[in-house]
Amino acid sequence: MSRAEIAAWVSNAQDFDEDDYEESNQTQTTNDATDEENWEAFVKLATKRILSSKTKERIGFLNDKVLVIAHRGDQSQSQINDVLGIIASTYARYIDGPSREAVITVLEAFVQRDESKTDEPKYGIAEYLLGWLKTEIPRAIHVSAGDQFVLLTWCAKLYDTLLDCNPALSDAPSWPTLLSLFSTIFDSILDDSSQAKPTVRQSSSVHSRRAIRNHPNTIPKALTMSLKLAETSSTPIRFASFIGLIIDVAIRIKPSKNVSIDVQKSLQESKARSTSALPQQATSAFDAFFRNLVSEDDFSSSLLSGIEQALGRGTPAAAEGNYKVYRFVDFRLILYNSIGLTLEGVSSPDTERYLNAAEPSHS
């Protein structure tokens, strides 16, 4: 949709009331308004249609008008930002799947069009969206799980689309920002405090897995950067769920020892530093890692000393986080006595619970 076409369409559409609006079939013609006036009218109308309570109307406008603008790419940066601003306000309004999918399709088109530019300057649409997400995600984690899920789907689509457009994205300044946002919103949905329904958590995992699986060659770089972010974060545990997901996808694509033991060594320090109970999603994030990749030699040479140091700190959180390692190692019987003695030193009313949890099953 060119500027002239927008002008003609706005002129025709403005004659209709929202309650009886239908797309005009008459031939589009230009009017006497300037481009600025045309655009102001279009933004006003777009706001009305996109934020309409009528599902069919807003989906039709997104697909038939906004998506065309995104594909044409002949608007100015400020004009595109106007449209993105309207679209951004829908995430907490739309509760139906088709409307949310229409928004995702439009965002994908805007990003693809901008990232595919070779002979003209990019508008930085991806950076615009990442900046908006950086502001909005911290707010969303304190509200409804539905809002969090929408933002997660946007992060997953950005991850997928940007890597489609630029396989070298991992070298770009936006790479750590994208992974940090993705990790944060994924962890917040899995956290018990979000009160997300099991179906929402499952859907969040599906969207996230799909985005990561679509780019298998980028998995090592995504894992490496996520570990770096965790190591430098004041709340490293929030990266555990996302790192565990990356590992799980990597294992399912091609079981391999290429997933470094450094993964658990890095997160072990996070567990040791924790002074409060670890969230369930963090303690179970590395189940697949231990079940599939950790051998007895790996355990004794790379993990045991870190676990002993963590347990030696005498915090219940360290005890709870580390005993789960032993669920997946057949050789835990050898170490049970020493671990039991270490756990006895934990000064907590829950000591007995941790001892029972660490005790191997004889069934």
Side-chain angles (χ1 to χ4, degrees):
M1 180 178 289
S2 66
R3 295 183 183 183
E5 290 170 331
I6 288 176
W9 181 79
V10 167
S11 178
N12 291 330
Q14 284 177 318
D15 295 332
F16 293 85
D17 183 76
E18 182 177 5
D19 293 332
D20 59 3
Y21 169 79
E22 292 181 358
E23 181 65 29
S24 172
N25 292 321
Q26 62 186 351
T27 304
Q28 294 179 331
T29 57
T30 59
N31 60 16
D32 297 330
T34 64
D35 284 345
E36 288 76 11
E37 291 172 341
N38 289 336
W39 185 254
E40 288 177 2
F42 176 79
V43 170
K44 183 178 179 180
L45 189 62
T47 302
K48 187 176 182 181
R49 303 303 186 208
I50 293 174
L51 301 184
S52 170
S53 60
K54 297 181 179 180
T55 304
K56 183 177 180 180
E57 181 175 303
R58 64 197 189 199
I59 293 176
F61 189 89
L62 286 166
N63 290 337
D64 298 338
K65 302 303 175 185
V66 182
L67 188 58
V68 174
I69 291 175
H71 284 309
R72 287 288 296 267
D74 60 353
Q75 306 304 309
S76 69
Q77 183 168 2
S78 63
Q79 290 174 331
I80 291 177
N81 288 347
D82 287 339
V83 176
L84 293 177
I86 301 170
I87 292 175
S89 65
T90 66
Y91 93 92
R93 291 172 177 264
Y94 291 179
I95 59 174
D96 62 293
S99 294
R100 290 175 174 178
E101 286 297 323
V103 168
I104 286 285
T105 301
V106 168
L107 291 176
E108 181 181 16
F110 270 119
V111 172
Q112 285 179 334
R113 181 66 177 80
D114 194 47
E115 293 295 317
S116 64
K117 291 179 179 178
T118 56
D119 300 327
E120 53 184 320
K122 295 181 181 180
Y123 287 157
I125 293 176
E127 288 74 15
Y128 175 96
L129 291 173
L130 286 173
W132 180 83
L133 287 167
K134 193 173 183 178
T135 300
E136 201 62 33
I137 284 178
R139 299 174 184 170
I141 61 178
H142 299 296
V143 292
S144 74
D147 290 352
Q148 295 175 40
F149 174 72
V150 173
L151 295 182
L152 179 133
T153 61
W154 291 18
C155 286
K157 180 55 68 174
L158 268 176
Y159 181 97
D160 196 8
T161 304
L162 287 175
L163 282 171
D164 277 341
C165 297
N166 179 19
L169 178 67
S170 57
D171 297 325
S174 58
W175 178 241
T177 301
L178 174 59
L179 291 182
S180 180
L181 293 170
F182 205 165
S183 298
T184 299
I185 197 65
F186 183 62
D187 181 74
S188 70
I189 292 175
L190 297 185
D191 194 276
D192 289 339
S193 64
S194 75
Q195 299 182 342
K197 295 180 180 179
T199 53
V200 173
R201 293 178 180 176
Q202 178 63 25
S203 295
S204 298
S205 295
V206 169
H207 278 274
S208 302
R209 285 176 180 276
R210 184 185 299 122
I212 295 169
R213 188 177 61 244
N214 285 346
H215 305 278
N217 294 334
T218 308
I219 286 177
K221 294 180 179 180
L223 182 58
T224 299
M225 178 54 68
S226 296
L227 285 169
K228 289 181 179 179
L229 291 169
E231 290 170 357
T232 57
S233 173
S234 59
T235 54
I237 287 298
R238 72 179 175 87
F239 290 91
S241 299
F242 190 67
I243 292 173
L245 182 73
I246 295 174
I247 295 171
D248 193 44
V249 172
I251 291 171
R252 293 173 184 274
I253 290 176
K254 184 178 181 181
S256 171
K257 290 291 292 182
N258 291 335
V259 180
S260 173
I261 198 71
D262 288 341
V263 171
Q264 177 59 17
K265 288 176 66 179
S266 174
L267 270 293
Q268 203 68 47
E269 295 184 4
S270 304
K271 293 177 181 178
R273 299 200 318 251
S274 181
T275 57
S276 59
L278 296 173
Q280 175 61 33
Q281 74 271 16
T283 58
S284 61
F286 300 97
D287 288 359
F289 175 71
F290 286 111
R291 185 184 294 112
N292 293 277
L293 298 179
V294 178
S295 67
E296 183 173 353
D297 288 340
D298 292 329
F299 185 87
S300 59
S301 63
S302 300
L303 297 180
L304 183 56
S305 61
I307 290 175
E308 290 175 341
Q309 291 176 12
L311 294 175
R313 294 174 183 266
T315 63
E320 183 177 17
N322 285 288
Y323 87 76
K324 291 181 179 291
V325 173
Y326 294 92
R327 293 179 298 167
F328 304 108
V329 287
D330 294 334
F331 43 91
R332 63 187 183 274
L333 287 169
I334 303 173
L335 302 163
Y336 172 64
N337 288 336
S338 61
I339 290 176
L341 291 173
T342 305
L343 286 174
E344 287 174 357
V346 177
S347 177
S348 167
D350 292 328
T351 297
E352 183 177 354
R353 177 162 69 91
Y354 297 128
L355 283 168
N356 292 336
E359 185 171 3
S361 172
H362 298 288
S363 59

